[in-house]
Amino acid sequence: MKIQEADAKSLMLAQGLPVPPWRVARTPAEVEAAAKAYFDAGAEKVVIKAQVLVGGRGKAGGVKLAGSAAEAAEVGARILGMDIKGITVRKVLVGAAADIVKEYYLGAIIDRANRRITLMASAEGGVEIEEVARQNPDAIHRVSADPLLGLLAFQARTLGLAIGLRDPLLNPFVVIAQGLYATMKANDADLVEVNPLAVVAEKAPDGTSVQRLVCLDAKITLDDSGLSRHPGLEALRDLDEEDPTDAQARRLGINFIHLDGTIGCMVNGAGLAMTTMDLVKHYGGEPANFLDVGGGARHETVCGAMELILADPNVNAILVNIFGGITRGDEVAAGLIEARAEQTREVPMVVRIVGTNAEEAARLLTEARFETATSLDEAAEKAVALSKGAAR
Ligand code: GDP
Ligand code: MN
């Protein structure tokens, strides 16, 4: 689950990270009021940032500075309602603009290959890290935290030195890197990213200029499977921006992951769903999704699952593979028959139902002229043939 910058900043602040203050505004008048508060507190400029769950807002015109409260209201009016990569901006973040000296990148990810949280840093901050990874992979430096010891200070210091940081910014960098690690752990996050981690110039009380490291942007992706351990985090889900297919799957209690292939799969059980996908690939096809209807699926779930599959225009064949245990084969068959009566487009389908009430299911499906299969190999092979036939 992705969360908005403002929420990500709250989670970082809770771990002691240096995040400049902000306010969230939903109307130009709210932007003006927020901006006025920062100007009254001595800001020379304010920054107004679109809150949408996509990267590259700056490039898209969703991050702008303003020199007065009136100008902030105008900028706010322009950004609110703007379309950024297909998403309508409904709220903005307003803060005192930082005087940026240099932009770095710092991110924490779960490195599944070495089963550790890995921190990545680069002196090429501000720009998209994927771009840096393509063009100049050597500019990205990494250290992995030990699962028991955490991210040790010397590791963070090594990382800071690698990207060119020196005293007096090195120790603050160590604290920030460890704070990112703490934010990952505290929230079961998959990703915690600060881009830019900026060196900013600030006026000290005696009038001299000092440099400080601050987290100017924040991006956090939470592990959906970890959400049950953090009841407060579910509230951060932005329903305005969730993919409608994902939202519907969640409502139906279906595990659904969209993929790029052409064969829609409806299966009960995560393991069986993965096996089904493997066999589709084995016979030369590409699955369009992972879909586990769960145990004891009744026909409403089956109808809902069919809608999810058909919502993907790439799907040109469907493979249903049900192993009846608690799930009753005849219930699923009845659901499939009902779903087909309601579906908006005709897609060839092959159905394999074994286990509880399989005979009754077979009777219903034959009566309704469904293509069936008994073994999974046969079903997968048929689905691939149907998909290739449809593509021709
Ligand atoms: P993103 O484009 O979605 O990653 O949004 P960011 O928050 O990273 O902002 C994009 C860019 O806008 C940053 O890399 C900065 O160069 C610039 N920016 C963001 N905040 C400020 C600020 O407070 N002051 C100044 N001068 N520039 C900023
Ligand atoms: Mn950014």
Side-chain angles (χ1 to χ4, degrees):
M1 176 174 115
K2 289 182 182 172
I3 60 173
Q4 296 289 359
E5 174 190 3
D7 295 323
K9 284 183 166 173
S10 295
L11 298 183
M12 289 183 179
L13 213 49
Q15 300 301 323
L17 285 159
V19 181
W22 73 90
R23 293 186 186 202
V24 173
R26 293 171 178 273
T27 62
E30 284 178 19
V31 175
E32 184 166 10
K36 185 172 180 308
Y38 290 112
F39 285 118
D40 287 350
E44 284 172 12
K45 279 185 176 175
V46 294
V47 61
I48 297 137
K49 305 173 71 177
Q51 296 296 283
V52 283
L53 296 176
V54 291
R57 295 164 302 167
K59 251 194 228 159
V63 178
K64 294 269 182 258
L65 303 182
S68 70
E71 192 192 345
E74 271 169 43
V75 171
R78 240 181 299 134
I79 295 180
L80 287 161
M82 182 185 267
D83 184 281
I84 298 185
K85 297 181 184 171
I87 298 170
T88 307
V89 181
R90 292 164 203 269
K91 44 196 180 288
V92 294
L93 175 151
V94 183
D99 179 4
I100 301 175
V101 177
K102 178 160 174 60
E103 299 185 298
Y104 293 89
Y105 171 91
L106 182 63
I109 53 155
I110 293 180
D111 181 347
R112 294 184 195 278
N114 74 31
R115 294 180 291 174
R116 275 162 167 64
I117 291 174
T118 293
L119 270 89
M120 302 189 296
S122 174
E124 298 188 18
V127 294
E128 273 177 56
I129 195 68
E130 291 80 6
E131 201 52 38
V132 180
R134 256 193 306 276
Q135 312 227 328
N136 190 8
D138 293 343
I140 301 174
H141 303 269
R142 295 176 174 79
V143 293
S144 291
D146 183 280
L148 294 178
L149 302 175
L151 183 73
L152 298 172
F154 86 89
Q155 294 183 292
R157 202 172 298 120
T158 307
L159 194 60
L161 286 167
I163 60 171
L165 286 169
R166 299 290 181 267
D167 271 344
L169 294 174
L170 200 51
N171 282 338
F173 176 84
V174 170
V175 173
I176 291 170
Q178 289 182 322
L180 248 67
Y181 179 81
T183 308
M184 286 284 281
K185 296 278 285 184
N187 301 290
D188 284 319
D190 280 339
L191 168 87
V192 175
E193 192 180 82
V194 178
N195 188 22
L197 170 66
V199 176
V200 300
E202 287 180 356
K203 262 209 194 80
D206 63 2
T208 59
S209 175
V210 290
Q211 296 199 345
R212 210 161 73 86
L213 270 175
V214 295
C215 304
L216 277 197
D217 190 10
K219 180 170 161 187
I220 292 183
T221 309
L222 299 169
D223 180 350
D224 288 299
S225 303
L227 285 174
S228 60
R229 308 201 315 161
H230 311 279
L233 296 182
E234 183 61 44
L236 304 183
R237 189 185 294 279
D238 195 323
L239 295 171
D240 287 342
E241 281 191 44
E242 198 180 22
D243 182 324
T245 317
D246 290 343
Q248 198 193 349
R250 201 156 39 78
R251 271 195 298 277
L252 292 164
I254 295 173
N255 264 315
F256 177 86
I257 295 164
H258 181 250
L259 301 167
D260 296 331
T262 57
I263 300 177
C265 300
M266 187 193 305
V267 188
N268 66 327
L272 190 59
M274 288 196 277
T275 308
T276 305
M277 290 162 58
D278 280 350
L279 276 171
V280 164
K281 283 201 166 247
H282 177 74
Y283 286 108
E286 288 295 332
N289 62 273
F290 167 96
L291 191 160
D292 166 16
V293 287
R298 303 185 69 90
H299 75 262
E300 316 71 274
T301 321
V302 173
C303 287
M306 194 55 74
E307 273 177 40
L308 291 177
I309 291 173
L310 288 171
D312 176 356
N314 289 337
V315 168
N316 64 11
I318 295 173
L319 168 54
V320 179
N321 182 29
I322 301 294
F323 190 91
I326 302 168
T327 307
R328 287 170 42 193
D330 57 329
E331 277 259 7
V332 175
L336 289 172
I337 292 165
E338 190 177 316
R340 196 173 62 178
E342 286 170 11
Q343 77 197 33
T344 45
R345 66 191 179 99
E346 206 47 54
V347 173
M349 189 185 319
V350 51
V351 184
R352 174 196 183 232
I353 298 180
V354 294
T356 309
N357 293 0
E359 297 78 17
E360 180 62 7
R363 197 186 59 73
L364 290 171
L365 291 171
T366 312
E367 224 166 65
R369 298 178 182 281
F370 272 80
E371 172 127 28
T372 58
T374 40
S375 80
L376 179 49
D377 279 281
E378 183 195 350
E381 206 170 358
K382 273 186 178 170
V384 173
L386 289 173
S387 172
K388 292 198 168 151
R392 237 173 263 125

